[in-house]
Every structure is written in C-alpha cells, then in structure tokens.
Amino acid sequence: MDFSLSSDQQLIRDTVRQFMETEVRPVLREYERAHRFPTEQIKKLGEMGYCGMLIPEEWGGAGMDTVSYAVMMEEVARVDASTAVILSVTNSVASAPLLKHGNEAQKKKYLPRLGRGEIIGAFCLTEPQAGSDAAGIQSRAERRGDEYVLNGTKIWVTNGDISGVYVVFAKTDAAAGARGVTAFLVEPSFPGFRVSRYEDKMGLLLSPTVEIALQDCRVPAENRLGEEGQGLKIALEALDGGRIGIAAQAVGLAQGALEAAAKYAKQRRAFGKPIAENQAIQWMLADMETEIEAARALTLYAATVRDRESAAKDSAEGASRRLGPHASRAKLYASEMANRVAYKAVQIHGSAGYSRETDVERMYRDARVLTIYEGTSEMQRTVIARDLLRAAGGL
Ligand SMILES: Cc1cc2nc3c(=O)[nH]c(=O)nc-3n(C[C@H](O)[C@H](O)[C@H](O)COP(=O)(O)OP(=O)(O)OC[C@H]3O[C@@H](n4cnc5c(N)ncnc54)[C@H](O)[C@@H]3O)c2cc1C
C-alpha cells in the first residue's frame, strides 16, 4: 500500500513543522516549568484550521481527511506532546461525536466555534470508580421537565478548565448497565458544573487535566446528544477515531526523540570519538527508526480505513466496528513503541538525558501516558483479540 502524502498533506506537514519550530519550541521549557497552557499558540493553530480539521467546511471546520489529521498530530507531537493532546481531544473525541450524533441545532450552536478554535472541546467519561470499565460509571442524569439534572464526578478531563463545551456521559437508567448511559453537551456556565481539582501529573504539563464535580448540574433537555441509552456507543465510537490521533501523537513524539538522540550521538565524544561511531549506539538508532516507520504505517493505514469508511457512508455502527481493531493495533503498537524509543533516547544522552535541560527527559515522561489514555494497552489487546477470534469463528 502506498502511504506517500499528497501535495496538500505535504503542505500541512511543512506548515505545522514550521509553526511548531518557531512558535512552540522556543517557549516550551518555560511553559512546561510553569505548567502554562499555550493559549496564543492554540489560538493561532485554530485560525489555521487545526482545531477543527475533521469538521466539514459547511460546519465551519477545515473539512480535511483523517490522514491529514494524523500528519498534523505527528508534526505537533514531534515538538510537544502536550499541545498534541489538547488538539487531539478537541478534534476527535469532542467534535466527532457532535458531528455524528448532534441534531441541526446542536451542530449550529457548537461546531462552527469548535471548527475555528474559538472554543475548545472536552470529553468526560472517566470517573474515580470507572476507567477501562466505562459501563461502570456512576454519574446519574435525571430528567426533570425540560432539563436533566446531573450528579457525579469526572476525573482526568483533558482541556478541563478551558473548554467551551464538554461531552459528558451519565446514566439515565442505572439498572440498564451499558445501555443506560446517555451523552450530554454541557457548558461550564451551567449551574452545578465546577472544576473541583487539578491532577498533579508526571508529564504533558502544558495540558490542564482536571476533576469536574457535577452537583445538581442543570442541563437543558435540548443538550442531550443522541438518544437516551446511546451514550456508551457514542463514547466507544469516538474513542475508535481518537486512537488514531493518539497513535500519531506517539509516532511524532518518537520521531522527535530519535532526531534529538541522533544529533546528540554525533556531538558527544567519548574515548576520542563521537559516540555515534559505536555500533551499540547505531543499533539503538536503527531500531528506533525501524519501529517508528512500522508505527507510522499502521497509523496511516488506520487513518486510511477511517477515510474509506466515511466515504462509503456505511452504517455508522458497521464502519466503527471495522475501524476499531485497526485503530487499536495502531494505538497499541505506536504507544508502546514511543516508550521504547524515548527510553533509548534518554540512554543515548547518558546523564544529560536525565536532566530537565534536555528535550528527551520531557519526552520520556510524556510518552508514559500513551499506553494508558484513550484505552490502556490491555484494552487495545482485548479489542484486537476479540476481533481476530470473531473472524476465526468465535471462542
Ligand atoms: C493525562 C491523562 C489524560 C486523560 N484524559 C481523559 C479525558 O480527557 N477524558 C476521559 O474521560 N478520560 C481521560 N483520561 C482517563 C483515561 O482514559 C483512563 O485513565 C484509562 O481509560 C484507564 O482507566 P483507569 O485509569 O481507571 O485504569 P483502570 O481501568 O483502573 O485499569 C488499571 C489497570 O488494570 C488493567 N485492566 C483493567 N481492566 C482489565 C481487564 N479486563 N483485562 C486486563 N487488564 C485490565 C488496565 O489495563 C490497567 O493496567 C486521561 C488519563 C490521563 C492519565
């Protein structure tokens, strides 16, 4: 299969690379230390169309394909994985379910602003008692007249203190298990919505991650996304698409780490010669490069499958079921690969790699979450195994 980029996709790659090198890299260390959100940079990326890449032009977005989106994500993460996750959440798990399941009024209200990056989106599924086991969420939504009243706690909400709209999942029927979950579009100004805590994280320090308390949070009934009971399906579908972005984020981070390691290996001298002249170092670099290429191919393939499914306008459920294992394979391999590559990049730097003065130290910390969020590696393996066993006639 040919993964060469079209001229438009090459232009996206070059434009984003240039932007990240000039607008983000110079301030990255300072922002990381201050845990500072890259407000100006996200605003500019929004104006360039990168906050709403997958939103069609008729709804105010850039109307681009998933391969272009993966290319953008890789280039952003090559310099900074925090900026990448901010873009990933608003582009995929926040905007995509709204585009697919929103009614005309909801799309009109939120999509153009999301598409232009005037507001950022967030996705609230995880709770203190339920992460991988999403059907186990305990938040409740009770219909009272023309409102729903939401109660519960959401944790690990990326973009949690800066979003204009949150896709929130809560149970409208606690007895119905997975079929009792419903999705809502919640604005931070709705009564009873409160950012109750900031997560104190290992990495991704430019990206705010928060806990949200919903205490009798009043959501207009018109802000229910899809039908009652459809919420878990909406969430899982969104995550299938989201995982392509996380795979691309992993490829970009690994590419950045490899470039830093190769540069350092040529500069650093030991025993009278550059360390790059040692076969041990060359083999590490060769393995890093090979694994990155493999992960990039899996990621672009999953993106191509998504684009093909969208173009075929298949039934939403069918398309998502076919995409799921492709997205999981890309996310599983790319996220674990990025951790191996970041580990080797630190190793090649020696003690310098353990210093906060180097990029690879930050990349090593940022890589760790890739095998955890948007579904752990164990959950990806479950999706992949179920699919292959189903194809082999079931268990
Ligand atoms: C930086 C960051 C940002 C995040 N952003 C968001 C966000 O924006 N929105 C959101 O909703 N969530 C977000 N999350 C949450 C993330 O998606 C969850 O952490 C993830 O789904 C795992 O859930 P958990 O942490 O509760 O782990 P658990 O589900 O408790 O799992 C713990 C361990 O048990 C394993 N395990 C669980 N069940 C099984 C099983 N059946 N078989 C084998 N192993 C199993 C897991 O793989 C894992 O290793 C974020 C998390 C982080 C760290």
Side-chain angles (χ1 to χ4, degrees):
M1 196 165 178
D2 181 10
F3 289 124
S4 52
L5 301 180
S6 69
S7 55
D8 283 352
Q9 289 159 349
Q10 286 174 31
L11 184 64
I12 290 167
R13 183 195 60 199
D14 297 345
T15 309
V16 177
R17 181 171 291 210
Q18 163 84 1
F19 179 87
M20 292 302 292
E21 289 295 347
T22 55
E23 306 267 340
V24 178
R25 198 187 289 283
V27 296
L28 193 45
R29 209 157 293 158
E30 177 198 332
Y31 278 33
E32 226 237 340
R33 293 229 163 113
H35 293 210
R36 180 168 158 189
F37 183 80
T39 311
E40 278 308 307
Q41 290 82 352
I42 293 291
K43 186 167 173 277
K44 286 183 189 167
L45 285 162
E47 286 162 4
M48 291 158 82
Y50 298 123
C51 288
M53 279 187 88
L54 302 170
I55 299 174
E57 283 171 308
E58 60 185 292
W59 289 111
M64 293 186 212
D65 59 12
T66 316
V67 171
S68 301
Y69 171 63
V71 168
M72 180 279 289
M73 281 296 294
E74 180 182 334
E75 287 304 325
V76 171
R78 176 181 159 272
V79 173
D80 179 36
S82 290
T83 304
V85 76
I86 295 163
L87 292 174
S88 162
V89 167
T90 195
N91 266 292
S92 64
V93 287
S95 297
L98 181 48
L99 179 64
K100 191 157 183 182
H101 298 278
N103 58 35
E104 289 287 302
Q106 291 168 341
K107 289 185 187 176
K108 205 166 165 184
K109 184 163 185 197
Y110 298 110
L111 280 181
R113 284 188 293 153
L114 282 165
R116 291 190 292 267
E118 289 165 13
I119 57 169
I120 293 289
F123 178 83
C124 307
L125 181 62
T126 306
E127 298 185 358
Q129 311 304 330
S132 306
D133 181 13
I137 59 169
Q138 294 176 2
S139 290
R140 298 279 181 267
E142 192 189 326
R143 178 95 192 221
R144 286 190 210 154
D146 56 3
E147 286 180 340
Y148 283 88
V149 178
L150 271 58
N151 278 287
T153 304
K154 294 294 176 181
I155 58 171
W156 292 108
V157 181
T158 300
N159 297 342
D161 66 343
I162 41 114
S163 286
V165 61
Y166 296 69
V167 182
V168 175
F169 299 88
K171 280 193 172 158
T172 39
D173 182 352
R179 290 175 198 275
V181 179
T182 302
F184 298 92
L185 300 168
V186 179
E187 295 180 28
S189 60
F190 289 175
F193 178 101
R194 184 167 61 88
V195 172
S196 42
R197 194 169 64 89
Y198 283 78
E199 306 288 358
D200 191 8
K201 305 199 300 291
M202 176 194 289
L204 299 183
L205 299 182
L206 282 72
S207 157
T209 320
V210 306
E211 174 186 279
I212 287 171
L214 301 163
Q215 283 169 326
D216 290 330
C217 177
R218 285 168 29 220
V219 179
E222 66 197 26
N223 274 40
R224 190 187 69 215
L225 182 64
E227 299 301 322
E228 279 194 13
Q230 268 194 324
L232 196 64
K233 182 174 154 274
I234 293 174
L236 298 181
E237 233 173 60
L239 288 167
D240 279 344
R243 283 169 189 155
I244 298 172
I246 302 302
Q249 183 193 19
V251 172
L253 184 151
Q255 181 67 40
L258 171 62
E259 288 172 20
K263 187 173 167 198
Y264 186 81
K266 286 200 282 183
Q267 283 167 0
R268 176 70 177 172
R269 295 178 71 86
F271 300 96
K273 60 182 183 185
I275 59 168
E277 287 185 17
N278 295 297
Q279 193 180 50
I281 300 289
Q282 290 178 5
W283 284 14
M284 274 198 269
L285 293 170
D287 285 348
M288 290 155 85
E289 164 102 327
T290 306
E291 287 211 70
I292 292 169
E293 278 297 314
R296 184 177 287 123
L298 274 174
T299 304
L300 292 178
Y301 184 55
T304 306
V305 169
R306 188 174 193 266
D307 287 335
R308 213 187 285 147
E309 298 291 355
S310 310
K313 296 209 187 316
D314 270 341
S315 84
E317 204 178 332
S320 176
R321 211 182 298 131
R322 278 190 296 276
L323 174 65
H326 291 289
S328 287
R329 281 191 285 270
K331 201 265 180 186
L332 170 65
Y333 184 76
S335 62
E336 299 203 338
M337 173 282 297
N339 277 277
R340 289 191 291 272
V341 166
Y343 176 94
K344 287 179 180 139
V346 170
Q347 193 66 19
I348 289 171
H349 278 73
S351 58
Y354 201 66
S355 161
R356 297 202 67 185
E357 295 300 319
T358 58
D359 288 339
V360 293
E361 181 272 344
R362 170 178 44 79
M363 290 168 165
Y364 183 75
R365 284 184 287 109
D366 286 352
R368 191 61 195 88
V369 74
L370 297 168
T371 64
I372 297 171
Y373 62 21
E374 299 216 10
T376 63
S377 284
E378 291 71 35
M379 291 300 106
Q380 307 312 320
R381 288 190 171 92
T382 302
V383 171
I384 297 162
R386 278 192 190 143
D387 179 65
L388 75 89
L389 291 171
R390 195 182 298 122
L395 279 173

